[in-house]
Amino acid sequence: MEQYYIKGGNPLVGEVEIGGAKNAALPILAAAIMTDETVHIDNVPDVRDTNVLLTAMENIGVIVRHEDRHRITINAANVHETVVDDDNIKKIRASYYLIGAMLGKYKHAEVTLPGGCDIGCRAIDQHIKGFRALGADVVVEHGMIKTHAEHLRGSHIYMDVSSVGATINVMMAAAMAEGKTIIENAAKEPHVVDVANFLNSMGASIRGAGTDVIRIKGVSKLHGSEYTIIPDQIEAGTFMFAAAVTRGDVTVRNVIPKHLESITSKLLEIGCEVMEEDDQVRVVCSRPLRHTKVKTLPYPGFPTDMQPQITVALGLSEGTSIVTESIFENRFKYVDELTRMGANIKVEGNTAIIDGVAKYTGAGISAPDLRAGAALVLAALSAEGESLLDNIRYIQRGYEDFHLKLQGLGAQIKLVDSENDYAKFHLLTG
Ligand code: EPZ
């Protein structure tokens, strides 16, 4: 089993290049099957979730060609079935984007119910409500979602909660419905906008993405396109917080600073310096960190996907901080691991009350999910002594070359997959 061996204590210093946004890439790759023409997509992150999705697409007849590590060509002219039921696809949340894409194009889709990180109940009622509003029959049976429509017709849909997945999924299906669709209370995340821009580049007519109201005029056909995915807001935020917790000086390159505003603002509040330029941000942390309060919210609020990383930083900050998780009900599972490293954090319901400690100490720890896993790496990098992190497959779902990028900033982190490896590295750095 692969693990990260980490020896903490080095301030991270240097520059790191951010890749394409995983949570934009997943729906964009799925949406690429909505045309029979060839689509070229650039800046696709080479992470486990995108690769699982691409394999599932190949299994139904999509031709996927890797022009280089991050540039992929997709052609869906020979799709031979609209049933996606493979063992791997169950493990990723984004499998559900194939429903919106196939329902839009083929008016039929059957996809295994989504898995993904275990961070809460993760309902899909808003997806189903949206598809039904467009005129599709939807049933959930034998672990599959099955949808079919004789005709998809535009509709006026009010989302009961701001859902990234439901907004994107319904937007994809509506792009190829007859007539106009209005989605109210739409999610406004940058990746929602990116998917709308991609669909528009294929000939869709979608206006208002990035606001509460998205207006879509359905078209009968989409065409080929060439598109570059936006940089990953959460990967960038994770490296910004890596600078904060290790008292480092990190320039995070290839980002859209606007997408990072809520993250930047919290870093400033806790005492870091943040210098923004056109497509990079530099985070310098030379003073003791200060306490604050933070509540996760839909964009442009502080992202739930950055909640574990800020908690790790606040665990090292002077005074008492409060973190409230308002999106998912079970996203503090990593706190037990942090406690083993010396953190003083009490979780009550959806709130963590954090009494800052002067330092963490290395320990054997385990990643409970993707972002929590990345946050535990940050904790271990700041800690006194050595840590061994299990279950790093979660991290590999969404961070490309995480340990290599950290090594580039001076971190002592190594991918190991046996006790032998561990002993070797231990001798090397010990
Ligand atoms: C996406 O999940 C991301 N995943 C998550 O990132 C991210 O945490 C989340 O959006 C919020 O930003 C992908 O893009 C693959 P939601 P998603 O639908 O679409 C409730 C990561 O670490 N809800 O916006 O599943 C839901 O229970 C992952 O990269 C309903 O009630 O999130 C939650 O409380 C983890 N009914 C809230 O809405 C629905 O039909 C937001 O969920 C849909 C959602």
Side-chain angles (χ1 to χ4, degrees):
M1 189 179 49
E2 287 188 329
Q3 298 167 309
Y4 282 146
Y5 165 80
I6 297 163
K7 187 168 182 205
N10 282 8
L12 298 192
V13 177
E15 297 187 350
V16 62
E17 198 77 26
I18 297 306
K22 169 190 77 101
N23 289 344
L26 292 164
I28 285 174
L29 293 171
I33 70 168
M34 295 177 72
T35 174
D36 286 344
E37 296 179 21
T38 299
V39 174
H40 304 274
I41 307 172
D42 229 327
N43 211 26
V44 179
D46 181 12
V47 293
R48 196 161 285 172
D49 277 15
T50 51
N51 291 322
V52 166
L53 179 66
L54 286 168
T55 304
M57 287 164 55
E58 285 179 306
N59 290 344
I60 58 166
V62 178
I63 294 169
V64 175
R65 205 159 50 84
H66 291 260
E67 288 180 42
D68 62 35
R69 189 171 181 197
H70 300 125
R71 185 174 163 84
I72 291 178
T73 297
I74 290 176
N75 186 288
N78 295 317
V79 166
H80 49 70
E81 59 179 319
T82 50
V83 180
V84 181
D85 180 16
D86 90 40
D87 266 354
N88 281 323
I89 199 84
K90 283 184 196 147
K91 296 182 192 150
I92 69 167
R93 185 77 188 156
S95 55
Y96 58 37
Y97 289 132
L98 290 171
I99 309 173
M102 292 196 297
L103 182 63
K105 187 178 179 202
Y106 303 109
K107 314 297 177 242
H108 187 90
E110 296 185 29
V111 178
T112 306
L113 267 170
C117 285
D118 180 12
I119 51 180
C121 97
R122 311 197 72 178
I124 51 160
D125 56 307
Q126 299 305 301
H127 303 241
I128 294 175
K129 168 175 149 170
F131 296 145
R132 287 194 175 133
L134 295 174
D137 292 325
V138 185
V139 291
V140 179
E141 57 184 22
H142 309 300
M144 309 274 291
I145 306 182
K146 302 179 178 177
T147 62
H148 181 82
E150 288 308 318
H151 294 283
L152 275 185
R153 294 207 173 84
S155 180
H156 196 141
I157 300 160
Y158 188 93
M159 295 285 175
D160 299 330
V161 291
S162 168
S163 161
V164 171
T167 301
I168 291 177
N169 229 342
V170 174
M171 186 167 81
M172 289 198 285
M176 295 192 79
E178 293 162 23
K180 288 185 194 164
T181 296
I182 299 176
I183 305 176
E184 307 240 26
N185 196 25
K188 299 186 285 238
E189 271 66 5
H191 29 297
V192 175
V193 180
D194 209 33
V195 180
N197 288 341
F198 172 63
L199 287 166
N200 285 343
S201 79
M202 295 168 80
S205 172
I206 302 173
R207 302 284 171 266
T211 75
D212 291 331
V213 185
I214 300 180
R215 293 168 201 279
I216 303 155
K217 271 192 224 155
V219 297
S220 57
K221 210 166 170 221
L222 295 173
H223 54 70
S225 165
E226 173 130 15
Y227 195 77
T228 301
I229 291 169
I230 53 167
D232 197 305
Q233 174 204 21
I234 306 301
E235 186 193 15
T238 303
F239 281 99
M240 291 166 78
F241 269 91
V245 299
T246 64
R247 307 286 159 85
D249 177 348
V250 175
T251 300
V252 182
R253 294 170 42 127
N254 183 34
V255 298
I256 299 176
K258 173 92 192 138
H259 294 168
L260 301 171
E261 278 173 353
S262 63
I263 296 165
T264 298
S265 123
K266 283 295 162 195
L267 284 167
L268 292 171
E269 252 176 73
I270 64 174
C272 300
E273 293 166 72
V274 184
M275 282 76 79
E276 282 182 13
E277 283 177 40
D278 286 353
D279 64 351
Q280 63 180 43
V281 287
R282 178 174 167 206
V283 179
V284 181
C285 181
S286 47
R287 289 190 296 258
L289 297 174
R290 292 194 295 261
H291 63 99
T292 191
K293 286 185 187 157
V294 59
K295 182 175 183 180
T296 62
L297 286 169
Y299 189 83
F302 191 85
T304 174
D305 291 348
M306 286 299 300
Q307 181 261 96
Q309 299 89 319
I310 195 170
T311 299
V312 164
L314 295 177
L316 293 170
S317 304
E318 288 172 349
T320 303
S321 299
I322 309 244
V323 174
T324 306
E325 171 58 58
S326 82
I327 310 293
F328 293 109
E329 65 272 19
N330 193 14
R331 214 169 187 177
F332 282 121
K333 282 196 292 188
Y334 63 90
V335 165
D336 287 346
E337 303 301 294
L338 264 189
T339 304
R340 291 157 50 70
M341 301 178 78
N344 188 358
I345 304 177
K346 204 162 109 195
V347 177
E348 287 179 2
N350 67 346
T351 301
I353 302 146
I354 305 161
D355 281 320
V357 294
K359 62 170 196 265
Y360 296 136
T361 49
I365 43 178
S366 180
D369 62 67
L370 164 58
R371 306 304 172 186
L376 288 171
V377 170
L378 303 195
L381 288 171
S382 76
E384 182 184 284
E386 299 161 321
S387 299
L388 198 59
L389 178 65
D390 272 346
N391 279 336
I392 63 164
R393 64 178 191 282
Y394 286 119
I395 299 173
Q396 293 163 337
R397 294 177 66 151
Y399 290 88
E400 180 181 308
D401 295 342
F402 195 42
H403 65 291
L404 298 179
K405 289 187 183 185
L406 288 166
Q407 281 172 9
L409 297 169
Q412 294 202 59
I413 176 170
K414 193 171 152 96
L415 186 73
V416 294
D417 67 7
S418 71
E419 286 297 320
N420 272 351
D421 259 353
Y422 170 64
K424 251 191 272 163
F425 190 68
H426 183 70
L427 288 176
L428 212 75
T429 59

